[in-house]
Amino acid sequence: MSDFFKGIEQVKYEGPKSTNPMAFKYYNADEVVMGKKMKEHLPFAMAWWHNLGANGVDMFGSGSADKSFGQIVGTMEHAKAKVDVGFEFMKKLGIEYFCFHDIDLVPEADDINETNRRLDELSDYILEKMKGTNIKCLWGTANMFGNPRYMNGAGSTNSPDVYAFAAAQVKKALDITVKLGGRGYVFWGGREGYETLLNTDVKFEQENIASLMKMAVEYGRSIGFTGDFYIEPKPKEPMKHQYDFDAATAIGFLRQYGLDKDFKLNIEANHATLAGHTFQHDLRISAINGMLGSIDANQGDMLLGWDTDEFPFNIYDTTMCMYEVLKAGGITGGFNFDAKNRRPSNTPEDMFYGYILGMDSFALGLKKAAQIIEDGRVDAFVKERYSGFESGIGKKVREGTTSLVELAEYAAQLKKPQSPGSGRQEYLESIVNSILFE
Ligand code: XUL
Ligand code: CO
């Protein structure tokens, strides 16, 4: 094992009263919540790009954190050092999954053949590291947004040559995902959208994106990939308008092009809020459509209008997330910390503090969500609220056995309906607060 994080021991659960910053206060891997161990409810994943790559560069300044790990950035030695450091990090936190883009793993070469050779070499190295551990890939993806060739899109590009490069990257990223035991494969359409409709044929672009996804499914299944493909919705950034705006839009797209059997959604908290929804909203929309696949666990900042990718600390949101996940019967994917330290949090210890914060926030959210469900008052209220549909004319509506004529006759007889009853929002919010802060 590498010893980059000298002096940082295995991170253990010490309980809520602990003041040890290098201990979990709520995440207790083997603790059973609603019949399942915490670690089974919460398959956490490390995001290769943020944790091992992001060094604090922003639009106004260069890196504030040193992520060279003793090597020259941009070399294969550095790529391997990232593997060593990443595995030391995951082991010390008890994290069993990682997520990657192809070019998070290796520096991209000018010639795609050389990039692919590097990917083969590095994935062999990762495979070696995986031996004797429980660590494996949660999902892989291809970075089809960074290279200038994708300035007009990847699947949505106007250039067939660029489209072929996107396809080649997807093919290779799928190979590596399968090789590393990945549960899923993600499409996040960072450049799939438009800046102006004056130069854009939306229908044409969406058809081409769908074709790329269809080919990915065909190829993936042909090499033995049995996991889920995911779309990760985001409304904007970097594009002014991205096609996969939110969960509902992505679901409509998947159904329109017959991709809904192979695809689910990877819902990112900060993307949902950028779309003007709550995180909980996009989780619910995915879940009721049978498409809640995986989660990018982070949070945004309501005062900033961009994707800040912060480590989640808002317990109300993690609770409501876990409430949706528990109600959906769990997810087949996992919880990927698509999150980065704030620019001034620039030490190796901060990398641990970020993950401890995120893992504890979700563990506490899980416990609180379970309590809300076990308490039963919220569920009971919702059931009662719709109970009018359990009998009489309501039942006929649910069963589809009535008509506008019958309903109009019914209304005419009633003359005037009774009040549908209070929504009791404040009462329900008080219940949640009393459980959160008991
Ligand atoms: C960008 C984002 C990506 C995807 C994978 O906002 O979330 O990192 O998760 O491409
Ligand atoms: Co993401």
Side-chain angles (χ1 to χ4, degrees), residues 367-412:
K367 292 177 92 161
K368 294 295 173 185
Q371 275 176 261
I372 294 172
I373 292 170
E374 279 160 355
D375 171 89
R377 279 175 291 170
V378 172
D379 273 345
F381 180 79
V382 175
K383 186 165 177 355
E384 171 59 25
R385 188 159 185 247
Y386 297 97
S387 60
F389 285 87
E390 284 166 15
S391 60
I393 195 73
K395 193 165 182 221
K396 288 179 111 183
V397 171
R398 296 296 292 163
E399 289 170 349
T401 55
T402 185
S403 65
L404 280 193
V405 172
E406 189 184 20
L407 286 162
E409 279 167 8
Y410 178 85

Side-chain angles (χ1 to χ4, degrees), residues 49 139 188 232 266 268 271 296 298 309 336 338:
W49 53 103
W139 53 255
W188 169 62
E232 184 179 321
N266 180 39
E268 177 165 325
H271 295 181
D296 267 13
N298 65 12
D309 284 346
N336 166 47
D338 195 349

Side-chain angles (χ1 to χ4, degrees), residues 24-323:
F24 294 120
K25 319 296 180 297
Y26 302 101
Y27 182 64
N28 187 11
D30 291 323
E31 186 177 327
V32 174
V33 178
M34 288 183 88
K36 238 165 69 174
K37 287 184 179 174
M38 264 195 191
K39 68 172 184 191
E40 289 157 4
H41 280 291
L42 297 166
F44 289 126
M46 179 191 76
W48 211 270
W49 53 103
H50 284 312
N51 201 46
L52 304 172
N55 64 359
V57 167
D58 71 12
M59 309 263 269
F60 300 94
S62 51
S64 57
D66 181 4
K67 297 260 174 101
S68 64
F69 308 125
Q71 300 292 341
I72 298 169
V73 175
T75 61
M76 282 301 278
E77 288 68 35
H78 178 239
K80 286 180 184 165
K82 281 162 72 179
V83 178
D84 297 343
V85 170
F87 271 74
E88 183 189 346
F89 184 82
M90 287 185 277
K91 279 186 200 165
K92 285 189 166 164
L93 281 161
I95 289 180
E96 296 187 350
Y97 295 91
F98 57 87
C99 298
F100 69 89
H101 300 82
D102 46 2
I103 62 163
D104 301 330
L105 300 182
V106 297
E108 192 175 12
D110 278 343
D111 177 343
I112 193 168
N113 297 294
E114 170 58 12
T115 307
N116 287 348
R117 194 204 59 73
R118 292 178 188 178
L119 282 168
D120 289 337
E121 184 186 334
L122 198 89
S123 50
D124 282 345
Y125 191 71
I126 295 179
L127 219 45
E128 250 336 280
K129 278 270 160 185
M130 282 166 58
K131 282 192 186 144
T133 75
N134 290 328
I135 298 175
K136 56 217 152 298
C137 170
L138 180 67
W139 53 255
T141 187
N143 179 323
M144 304 196 294
F145 44 89
N147 193 298
R149 65 175 169 264
Y150 296 123
M151 68 182 189
N152 292 350
S156 62
T157 181
N158 60 310
S159 155
D161 287 359
V162 171
Y163 191 91
F165 270 75
Q169 270 188 260
V170 170
K171 177 173 177 289
K172 191 68 186 173
L174 268 165
D175 288 337
I176 305 293
T177 300
V178 171
K179 180 170 169 183
L180 301 178
R183 280 191 183 187
Y185 183 88
V186 163
F187 280 88
W188 169 62
R191 302 279 175 197
E192 316 290 32
Y194 59 81
E195 299 295 333
T196 171
L197 284 174
L198 292 175
N199 66 12
T200 304
D201 185 336
V202 173
K203 184 166 185 288
F204 184 95
E205 293 196 356
Q206 293 206 349
E207 285 169 359
N208 277 1
I209 295 170
S211 298
L212 183 62
M213 290 180 176
K214 264 189 199 138
M215 289 188 274
V217 170
E218 261 168 42
Y219 180 73
R221 300 305 179 216
S222 81
I223 59 165
F225 175 61
T226 54
D228 288 319
F229 289 85
Y230 304 120
I231 282 185
E232 184 179 321
K234 187 177 183 181
K236 58 187 168 188
E237 197 206 18
M239 299 302 279
K240 179 170 91 177
H241 186 104
Q242 283 173 212
Y243 292 136
D244 304 324
F245 190 92
D246 61 0
T249 312
I251 291 166
F253 171 86
L254 290 172
R255 292 210 173 120
Q256 180 175 357
Y257 293 103
L259 291 158
D260 49 314
K261 299 283 171 293
D262 294 280
F263 274 78
K264 289 194 168 88
L265 301 183
N266 180 39
I267 297 299
E268 177 165 325
N270 204 168
H271 295 181
T273 52
L274 280 177
H277 301 308
T278 58
F279 183 23
Q280 189 185 7
H281 169 91
D282 258 20
L283 294 167
R284 176 74 63 94
I285 297 298
S286 308
I288 62 172
N289 283 284
M291 287 205 193
L292 179 53
S294 204
I295 286 173
D296 267 13
N298 65 12
Q299 76 176 49
D301 187 319
M302 291 307 159
L303 300 182
L304 303 173
W306 63 90
D307 195 10
T308 56
D309 284 346
E310 293 174 33
F311 282 98
F313 67 83
N314 183 323
I315 302 303
Y316 190 90
D317 285 342
T318 58
T319 300
M320 289 308 159
C321 169
M322 294 315 297
Y323 181 74

